[in-house]
Each structure stands twice: as C-alpha cells, then as structure tokens.
C-alpha cells in the first residue's frame, strides 16, 4: 500500500527556533500534499494544500509566513514552522494523494505525524 | 455547508459486539466518503471508503452503510475487538478537493 513517511516524529526545542518537518511519499508520486494540525482529542485541521511546483494554498487563519511550505519534488513536501513559540506546540500531520491514476478522488495517505513541543 | 457531523463522541462496546458510528453531511457535492482509524500518537490510516453510487460496502469486519437521500453514512464494526480501540474519523470530499473531517469518535472495546 501507499506509504507516507514523516520526519522527525518528535521535536522539542526552544522558543524562537525554526523547525522543519519533512513528508515523503515512498512508493508513489504525490502531486498534492496536505498539512494538518491536530490538538489533543480533536479532529484534524487542514492548514494548507501544496501542489508540486506551485505555491501552497493556505486555509483561512493560517499564517503563511509562519508556516512555510515547500513542495519541490513529486515525493517531498516540507513544512517549516518559523520562530516557533509555545502556542505552536501541536501534532502536525501530512498526507499525500496520488492523482496519477486519473481518479480525482484518490484517497489521502497520512504520515505518522510530528509531535512539536516548544519550550 | 462544509461540515460533517459525527456521533457519538465516545463509544464503549463489549468484545464481540457491534460498534456503530454515524456521520451526516450537507454538501451535495461530496462524492467520496472515507473512514480513518487513528491510534494515539499516530497518523490516521484509511480504513474503508465508499462512493454514493452504492448503499453499502463491506471489507472484512468493517461495513459502510450509505443513505444518499438522507445524506448520512455510518461505519459498522462487527465482532469488535480490543485492538479496534482507537479514534475513528469519517470524512467527505468532492471533485478531488480537500477532505472535510468529522469530529471523531473515541472507541473503546472492553473485554
């Protein structure tokens, strides 16, 4: 099955640090990747949609200068949390969708998430 | 109109019983309805999905029932096992757009 690898799985760092999270599709090419944020016992909140070779589309209320997304290849998207503060602490999850098969509703496959803790 | 309402918020089922989780949507443009299973500290994993041209889909112990006229769909887990204890999310999407998730159901299967 389709595998999405997310790295690192856990980050603990000081306030003011920038943190980069990688999301890779291991056995398929992902033209579209998604970044979510999840708070404890809550649902997934979509932050942004990234398409390979173009700028990411951010959801309303998500600061694009705070959460930098780069989708430079068909298998890699990165999320950089710039100048992170304690309120940015959360569980960040990426997903990838393979549209190459021609079916517009190919399922999204999720990574295992990154637990970000800002001290 | 983009909401997907999910119930119950939590569910306790005895081993061997049937777990039932319900979802309702409003956007008639939705045409793909996946269910995801999430264990603590992990990302969601696709469990089963359905398109609105069928009323039921079964994969092993998991069944989706779909009622297009009522704009409702549900997940049934037959012969529930302790290993099924997890959080379950329904979702919906249309036209290849972003997923809209339900609020999640925390399932606990007791021995």
């Amino acid at each position: 099955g389709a595998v999405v690898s997310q790295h690192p799985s856990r980050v603990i760092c000081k306030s003011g640090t920038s943190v980069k999270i990688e999301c890779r599709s291991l056995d398929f090419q992902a033209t579209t990747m998604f970044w979510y944020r999840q708070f404890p016992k809550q649902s997934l909140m979509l932050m942004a949609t990234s398409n390979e070779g173009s700028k990411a589309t951010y959801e309303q209320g998500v600061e694009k200068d705070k959460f930098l997304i780069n989708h430079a290849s068909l298998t890699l998207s990165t999320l950089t949390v710039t100048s992170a503060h304690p309120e940015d602490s959360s569980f960040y999850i990426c997903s990838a969708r393979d549209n190459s098969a021609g079916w517009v509703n190919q399922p999204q496959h999720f990574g295992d998430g990154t637990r970000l803790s800002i001290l | 109109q983009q909401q997907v309402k999910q119930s119950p918020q939590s569910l306790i089922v005895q081993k061997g019983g049937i777990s039932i989780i319900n979802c309702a949507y409003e956007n008639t443009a939705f045409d793909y309805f996946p269910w995801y299973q999430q264990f603590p500290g992990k990302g969601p994993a696709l469990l089963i999905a359905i398109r609105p041209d069928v009323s039921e889909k079964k994969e092993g112990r998991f069944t989706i029932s779909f009622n297009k006229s009522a704009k409702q769909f549900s997940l049934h887990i037959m012969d529930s096992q302790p290993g099924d204890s997890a959080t379950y999310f329904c979702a919906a999407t249309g036209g290849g757009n972003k997923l809209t998730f339900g609020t999640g159901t925390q399932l606990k299967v007791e021995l």
Side-chain angles (χ1 to χ4, degrees), chain A residues 15-19 37 47 58 61-69 79-89 92 116 118:
Chain A
S15 184
T17 306
S18 292
V19 178
R37 185 172 181 177
M47 299 175 65
Y58 290 82
V62 178
E63 299 175 59
K64 60 182 180 181
D65 294 331
K66 175 74 171 177
F67 300 100
L68 300 179
I69 291 171
L79 168 68
T80 301
V81 184
T82 61
S83 186
H85 289 93
E87 59 267 28
D88 298 322
S89 298
Y92 292 88
L116 176 62
I118 307 298

Coordinates of all heavy atoms in Angstrom, one line a residue, chain A residues 15-19 37 47 58 61-69 79-89 92 116 118:
Chain A
S15 N 11.9 28.2 22.3 CA 11.1 29.3 21.7 C 12.0 30.1 20.8 O 13.1 30.5 21.2 CB 10.5 30.2 22.8 OG 9.6 31.1 22.2
G16 N 11.5 30.5 19.6 CA 12.3 31.3 18.7 C 13.0 30.4 17.6 O 13.5 31.0 16.6
T17 N 13.1 29.1 17.8 CA 13.7 28.2 16.8 C 12.8 28.0 15.7 O 11.6 28.0 15.8 CB 14.0 26.9 17.5 OG1 14.8 27.2 18.7 CG2 14.8 26.0 16.6
S18 N 13.4 27.8 14.5 CA 12.6 27.4 13.3 C 12.8 25.9 13.2 O 13.9 25.3 13.3 CB 13.1 28.1 12.1 OG 12.7 29.4 12.1
V19 N 11.7 25.2 12.9 CA 11.6 23.7 12.8 C 11.1 23.3 11.4 O 10.1 23.8 11.0 CB 10.7 23.2 13.9 CG1 10.7 21.6 13.8 CG2 11.2 23.6 15.3
R37 N -3.0 20.1 11.3 CA -2.6 20.3 12.7 C -3.7 19.6 13.6 O -4.9 19.7 13.2 CB -2.5 21.8 13.0 CG -2.0 22.1 14.4 CD -1.8 23.6 14.5 NE -1.3 24.0 15.8 CZ -0.9 25.2 16.1 NH1 -1.0 26.2 15.2 NH2 -0.5 25.5 17.3
M47 N -4.3 22.8 7.3 CA -3.6 24.1 7.4 C -3.3 24.6 5.9 O -3.5 25.8 5.7 CB -2.2 23.9 8.0 CG -2.3 23.5 9.5 SD -0.6 23.1 10.1 CE 0.1 24.7 10.1
Y58 N -3.2 28.2 1.5 CA -3.3 28.2 2.9 C -4.8 28.4 3.3 O -5.5 29.1 2.6 CB -2.5 29.3 3.6 CG -1.0 29.0 3.6 CD1 -0.3 29.3 2.4 CD2 -0.4 28.4 4.6 CE1 1.1 29.1 2.4 CE2 1.0 28.2 4.6 CZ 1.7 28.5 3.4 OH 3.1 28.3 3.4
G61 N -7.0 31.9 8.2 CA -6.5 31.9 9.6 C -5.1 31.4 9.8 O -4.5 31.5 10.9
V62 N -4.5 30.7 8.8 CA -3.2 30.1 8.9 C -2.2 31.1 8.3 O -2.3 31.5 7.1 CB -3.1 28.8 8.1 CG1 -1.7 28.2 8.2 CG2 -4.1 27.8 8.7
E63 N -1.2 31.5 9.1 CA -0.2 32.5 8.7 C 0.8 31.8 7.7 O 1.6 31.0 8.1 CB 0.5 33.0 9.9 CG -0.4 33.7 10.9 CD 0.4 34.2 12.1 OE1 1.4 34.9 11.9 OE2 0.1 33.7 13.2
K64 N 0.8 32.2 6.5 CA 1.7 31.6 5.5 C 3.2 32.0 5.8 O 4.1 31.2 5.4 CB 1.3 32.0 4.1 CG 1.3 33.5 3.8 CD 0.9 33.7 2.4 CE 0.9 35.2 2.0 NZ 0.4 35.4 0.6
D65 N 3.4 33.1 6.4 CA 4.8 33.5 6.7 C 5.3 32.7 8.0 O 6.5 32.7 8.2 CB 4.9 35.0 7.0 CG 4.6 35.8 5.7 OD1 4.9 35.3 4.6 OD2 4.1 36.9 5.9
K66 N 4.4 32.2 8.7 CA 4.7 31.5 9.9 C 5.0 30.0 9.6 O 5.9 29.4 10.1 CB 3.6 31.6 10.9 CG 3.7 30.7 12.2 CD 4.6 31.3 13.1 CE 4.6 30.7 14.5 NZ 5.6 31.2 15.4
F67 N 4.1 29.5 8.7 CA 4.2 28.1 8.3 C 4.6 28.0 6.8 O 3.7 28.1 5.9 CB 2.9 27.4 8.6 CG 2.4 27.4 10.0 CD1 1.5 28.3 10.5 CD2 3.0 26.5 10.9 CE1 1.1 28.3 11.8 CE2 2.6 26.5 12.2 CZ 1.7 27.4 12.7
L68 N 5.8 27.9 6.6 CA 6.4 27.9 5.2 C 6.3 26.4 4.6 O 6.8 25.5 5.2 CB 7.8 28.4 5.2 CG 8.0 29.8 5.7 CD1 9.5 30.1 5.6 CD2 7.2 30.8 4.9
I69 N 5.7 26.3 3.5 CA 5.5 25.0 2.8 C 6.3 25.0 1.5 O 6.1 26.0 0.7 CB 4.1 24.7 2.7 CG1 3.4 24.4 4.0 CG2 3.9 23.4 1.7 CD1 1.9 24.2 4.0
L79 N 7.3 21.4 5.7 CA 6.7 22.4 6.5 C 7.7 23.0 7.5 O 8.3 22.2 8.3 CB 5.5 21.8 7.3 CG 4.9 22.8 8.3 CD1 4.2 24.0 7.7 CD2 3.9 22.0 9.2
T80 N 7.9 24.3 7.4 CA 8.8 24.9 8.3 C 8.0 25.9 9.2 O 7.4 26.8 8.7 CB 9.9 25.7 7.6 OG1 10.7 24.8 6.7 CG2 10.9 26.4 8.6
V81 N 8.1 25.6 10.5 CA 7.5 26.5 11.5 C 8.5 27.5 11.9 O 9.5 27.1 12.5 CB 7.0 25.7 12.7 CG1 6.3 26.6 13.7 CG2 6.1 24.5 12.3
T82 N 8.4 28.7 11.5 CA 9.4 29.7 11.7 C 9.2 30.4 13.0 O 8.1 30.7 13.5 CB 9.4 30.8 10.6 OG1 8.1 31.4 10.6 CG2 9.6 30.2 9.2
S83 N 10.3 30.7 13.7 CA 10.3 31.4 15.0 C 9.2 30.8 15.9 O 8.3 31.5 16.3 CB 10.1 32.9 14.8 OG 10.2 33.5 16.0
A84 N 9.3 29.5 16.1 CA 8.2 28.8 16.9 C 8.1 29.3 18.3 O 9.1 29.6 19.0 CB 8.5 27.3 16.8
H85 N 6.8 29.3 18.8 CA 6.5 29.7 20.1 C 5.7 28.7 20.8 O 5.1 27.8 20.1 CB 5.8 31.1 20.2 CG 6.7 32.2 19.8 ND1 6.9 32.7 18.5 CD2 7.6 32.9 20.5 CE1 7.7 33.7 18.5 NE2 8.2 33.8 19.7
P86 N 5.6 28.7 22.1 CA 4.8 27.6 22.8 C 3.4 27.3 22.2 O 3.0 26.2 22.2 CB 4.8 28.1 24.2 CG 6.0 28.9 24.4 CD 6.2 29.6 23.1
E87 N 2.8 28.4 21.7 CA 1.4 28.2 21.2 C 1.4 27.4 19.9 O 0.4 27.0 19.4 CB 0.7 29.5 21.0 CG 1.4 30.5 20.1 CD 2.3 31.4 20.8 OE1 2.8 31.1 21.9 OE2 2.5 32.6 20.3
D88 N 2.6 27.2 19.3 CA 2.7 26.4 18.1 C 2.9 24.9 18.4 O 2.9 24.1 17.5 CB 3.9 26.9 17.2 CG 3.8 28.3 16.8 OD1 2.7 28.7 16.4 OD2 4.8 29.0 16.8
S89 N 3.0 24.6 19.6 CA 3.1 23.2 20.0 C 1.9 22.5 19.6 O 0.8 22.9 19.9 CB 3.3 23.1 21.6 OG 4.5 23.7 21.9
Y92 N 1.5 17.7 14.2 CA 1.4 18.1 12.8 C 1.5 16.8 11.9 O 2.4 16.0 12.1 CB 2.6 19.0 12.4 CG 2.5 20.4 13.0 CD1 3.0 20.6 14.3 CD2 1.8 21.4 12.4 CE1 2.9 21.8 14.9 CE2 1.7 22.7 13.0 CZ 2.3 22.9 14.3 OH 2.2 24.1 14.9
L116 N 5.4 18.3 18.0 CA 6.2 19.5 18.2 C 6.0 20.1 19.5 O 4.8 20.5 19.9 CB 6.0 20.6 17.1 CG 6.7 21.9 17.2 CD1 8.2 21.7 17.1 CD2 6.3 22.8 16.1
I118 N 7.3 23.2 22.0 CA 8.2 24.4 22.1 C 8.2 24.8 23.5 O 7.2 25.1 24.1 CB 7.6 25.5 21.2 CG1 7.4 25.1 19.8 CG2 8.6 26.7 21.2 CD1 8.6 24.6 19.0

